[in-house]
Amino acid sequence: MPIPVINVAQMREWEKASWEAGKTESEVIMRVGQLVARRASQMVRPGQLVLVLAGKGNNGNDARRAREHLADWPVYLQDVSNPQEGISELHQILDQRPALIIDGLFGIGINRPLDEHWAALIQRINDLQTKVLSIDVPSGLNADTGEPMGTAIRASVTMTLGAPKQGLLLPSAWPYVGRLEVVPDIGLAKCPFTGETNWTLPEDFNNFPPERPATAHKGNFGRIAIIAGSLGYHGAAVLAARGAQRAQPGLITLYTNEEVYHSIAPQLQAVMVSIWNSKLSLPGDFNAVLIGPGLAAGDIPDDMKMMTRHVWRDAAVPVVVDASALDWLPLAPFPKNAIRVITPHPGEASRILRCSAKQVEANRPNALREVSKRLGNCWVVLKGNQTLIGRSSGEIYVNPSGNPYLAQGGSGDALSGYLAGLLAQPTLQVDPLKTLRYAVWQHGATADKLTATRNNWIVEDLLKELGSVVPELQDLPPSKPS
Ligand SMILES: NC(=O)C1=CN([C@@H]2O[C@H](COP(=O)(O)OP(=O)(O)OC[C@H]3O[C@@H](n4cnc5c(N)ncnc54)[C@H](OP(=O)(O)O)[C@@H]3O)[C@@H](O)[C@H]2O)[C@@H](O)CC1
Ligand SMILES: Nc1ncnc2c1ncn2[C@@H]1O[C@H](COP(=O)(O)OP(=O)(O)O)[C@@H](O)[C@H]1O
Ligand SMILES: [K+]
């Protein structure tokens, strides 16, 4: 069930429709309180001090309810309807540096810029640099525009209720929102809206990929060709090949440039490694082709670039293009119904669009659509925080998993290999959008799992674990130990 990205007016309508359908506000607030408390308890160790800040609206009521479910922690509940009243008491609590602040000051009901007293209080909280769990919206942030109304809380985690509000997805909001989590079921009626932009939930992947039949053999799971690696960049080829291995296709062949063959081949066992030559005819018998990781050397043969254009234009099988090879793509159509995927980060997308990365980031869904349009309506995975997946029209999905520790050279190579390794499998070609969403989600969820257990993981660790997160067990995301 897709969760649409909505605006504040739609949230209000949904709320109204729910009360008309017989749901009650108090039941919803009770449920939100429980869910907030459950998430909060993941963020602190037993015995650590928790400060609950409750404003005068329903955001504050959510916070007050959460407090009731935190019996095992020392908790201060501070009602703040006027930041000039009881402020010295609040400052004393802040002086004790609570391990977690639950922010229930303002939600979607903020209706004017915060005055200087609110600004001072929020500044004090932000200066503490302690963990903050914001309920629904980081207090002070306009959930439609993604801009602070004067000032806003900088949350570690924002638990938004029902559906993501559009402003929380804008890069201007990211420093305030922190990690965005969506709690879809807070007891409201069915969401009356559908939208072009949707949020991915782990449960979207229950029983996906489907189990393999007992009679299966490797011929059933596709053969993938990976064209990757050049002098100075041989590791990217190894990482992409290992990423593809974690997708478990039938056979993987890596074609690489001669200069790096001997650095790459000994690192890979189950993967076949060959030297690329211009006589190689692709796609041949392959069920998918990945081109790009580590092809950044200055002397990539022109034949390889021509082969990329030819495979993109003509092959019937899925073609995934990443990194440097994105610059070689033709602005030409490809066969109808053929699967074409590109996986740019904002810098790469900006090169395709001949604009700046800043312009891409200013309107990521629009940049995704434009890139896809330019490249014949291919699928685009626009990477970064809240990776987007979609095409020139139709649904765009926002990926919820992953964290800034993925910002390590090579994690993108692991992703493109993994994603292409999945797409090589005939059963996973039927619904390419789902397969792409799954790959991106799994890559991010694996990073989250690693981050929850250790501080120093590297891309090689990611590759060991890639694909191991079970969607059915992802009720709450794993959390870094406090
Ligand atoms: N949507 C749903 O289905 C559900 C939503 N729920 C929750 O309710 C939240 C929305 O609650 P809400 O409508 O009571 O508004 P909220 O954000 O708590 O604050 C508004 C208060 O702030 C005040 N105020 C505003 N601006 C101000 C300013 N600049 N400076 C000072 N004051 C200002 C304004 O007072 P005013 O002075 O304007 O009279 C008002 O009293 C939502 O985010 C979610 O957490 C769930 O519990 C149930 C299901
Ligand atoms: N702040 C972040 N939050 C979540 N994911 C991130 C963040 N920064 C980077 N990533 C992810 O890390 C990967 C980096 O890929 P890329 O930029 O291509 O790196 P490389 O080319 O070095 O492998 C992408 O999957 C991207 O979505
Ligand atoms: K809040």
Side-chain angles (χ1 to χ4, degrees):
M1 186 57 199
I3 304 290
V5 176
I6 61 175
N7 60 33
V8 171
Q10 288 174 315
M11 191 70 220
R12 293 299 192 194
E13 260 187 71
W14 184 7
E15 202 176 357
K16 199 161 149 258
S18 298
W19 313 153
E20 281 165 10
K23 309 280 179 188
T24 69
E25 200 167 62
S26 60
E27 275 167 7
V28 171
I29 291 173
M30 184 153 57
R31 181 161 168 76
V32 170
Q34 276 170 354
L35 291 164
V36 168
R38 198 146 70 95
R39 185 64 178 103
S41 66
Q42 268 199 331
M43 297 173 75
V44 275
R45 281 197 302 270
Q48 287 189 312
L49 181 63
V50 178
L51 169 63
V52 178
L53 295 175
K56 64 178 175 178
N58 271 342
N59 199 250
N61 288 332
D62 293 340
R64 274 179 278 271
R65 276 294 186 171
R67 192 262 168 272
E68 294 165 19
H69 298 280
L70 288 167
D72 294 342
W73 280 266
V75 180
Y76 280 112
L77 169 66
Q78 185 74 29
D79 288 305
V80 196
S81 42
N82 176 347
Q84 288 170 279
E85 279 170 22
I87 200 71
S88 62
E89 196 184 328
L90 177 55
H91 280 289
Q92 278 170 18
I93 303 167
L94 291 172
D95 287 342
Q96 295 177 48
R97 260 192 80 83
L100 176 70
I101 297 175
I102 298 180
D103 157 33
L105 292 175
F106 300 103
I108 56 173
I110 191 157
N111 54 27
R112 58 189 181 279
L114 293 168
D115 68 20
E116 81 256 31
H117 304 291
W118 279 110
L121 174 60
I122 287 178
Q123 187 64 45
R124 172 85 214 274
I125 292 166
N126 288 343
D127 287 347
L128 268 190
Q129 301 205 342
T130 199
K131 278 189 223 169
V132 177
L133 172 60
S134 282
I135 304 175
D136 205 18
V137 181
S139 295
L141 196 77
N142 182 316
D144 276 340
T145 65
E147 298 289 340
M149 311 255 316
T151 185
I153 293 278
R154 288 177 183 265
S156 325
V157 174
T158 296
M159 228 180 138
T160 200
L161 307 174
K165 321 299 178 297
Q166 64 184 30
L168 306 181
L169 303 187
L170 297 172
S172 61
W174 290 351
Y176 304 97
V177 169
R179 179 185 178 87
L180 182 59
E181 295 174 4
V182 177
V183 198
D185 182 11
I186 56 166
L188 296 174
K190 190 171 168 287
C191 179
F193 303 104
T194 54
E196 282 212 329
T197 309
N198 294 282
W199 186 258
T200 287
L201 293 173
E203 68 196 47
D204 297 349
F205 308 118
N206 287 356
N207 305 315
F208 188 86
E211 256 185 47
R212 295 183 169 190
T215 53
H217 55 85
K218 67 174 182 281
N220 300 126
F221 301 111
R223 299 160 56 109
I224 178 168
I226 300 177
I227 323 307
S230 61
L231 198 60
Y233 307 92
H234 71 271
V238 177
L239 299 173
R242 291 202 181 131
Q245 282 188 277
R246 291 291 169 198
Q248 301 172 305
L251 281 172
I252 304 170
T253 306
L254 171 64
Y255 294 99
T256 192
N257 285 295
E258 189 167 3
E259 303 92 303
V260 290
Y261 172 83
H262 289 290
S263 324
I264 290 173
Q267 299 193 56
L268 296 166
Q269 283 75 46
V271 175
M272 291 168 282
V273 187
S274 293
I275 294 173
W276 184 82
N277 72 79
S278 57
K279 296 200 179 61
L280 181 69
S281 168
L282 286 176
D285 291 339
F286 289 103
N287 301 86
V289 181
L290 164 64
I291 311 175
L295 294 178
D299 58 351
I300 298 295
D302 282 342
D303 287 350
M304 188 180 269
K305 299 180 184 174
M306 269 166 54
M307 181 274 303
T308 303
R309 287 191 274 274
H310 149 73
V311 171
W312 181 272
R313 255 192 328 251
D314 301 328
V317 301
V319 178
V320 179
V321 175
D322 185 29
S324 311
L326 290 166
D327 294 339
W328 314 335
L329 287 177
L331 302 178
F334 49 77
K336 199 164 179 272
N337 300 328
I339 299 170
R340 295 290 180 268
V341 181
I342 61 168
T343 54
H345 56 57
E348 289 159 346
S350 75
R351 290 212 298 275
I352 296 169
L353 293 176
R354 303 194 192 293
C355 67
S356 67
K358 211 167 160 205
Q359 285 168 308
V360 168
E361 290 295 79
N363 192 338
R364 284 167 56 84
N366 187 51
L368 179 149
R369 295 241 188 260
E370 286 303 314
V371 167
S372 172
K373 228 181 257 174
R374 232 167 242 232
L375 292 169
N377 193 29
C378 64
W379 294 105
V380 179
V381 173
L382 181 58
K383 294 185 291 194
N385 184 32
Q386 299 176 357
T387 292
L388 300 180
I389 304 145
R391 284 202 282 194
S392 63
S393 60
E395 297 155 302
I396 290 180
Y397 276 89
V398 188
N399 182 61
S401 63
N403 65 65
Y405 294 92
L406 268 175
Q408 304 184 36
S411 66
D413 304 315
L415 174 67
S416 62
Y418 182 61
L419 180 154
L422 292 171
L423 275 179
Q425 303 176 41
T427 50
L428 302 183
Q429 294 173 356
V430 178
D431 183 351
L433 176 57
K434 185 159 185 181
T435 301
L436 294 172
R437 287 172 57 213
Y438 175 75
V440 172
W441 175 77
Q442 191 52 261
H443 179 255
T446 308
D448 291 340
K449 181 173 145 184
L450 286 166
T451 304
T453 53
R454 54 192 287 198
N455 286 327
N456 64 344
W457 65 266
I458 57 175
V459 176
E460 284 78 353
D461 300 316
L462 179 76
L463 279 161
K464 282 196 190 121
E465 294 287 322
L466 190 54
S468 63
V469 182
V470 181
E472 285 87 339
L473 302 180
Q474 291 300 293
D475 181 23
L476 282 178
S479 180
K480 210 174 164 66
S482 43

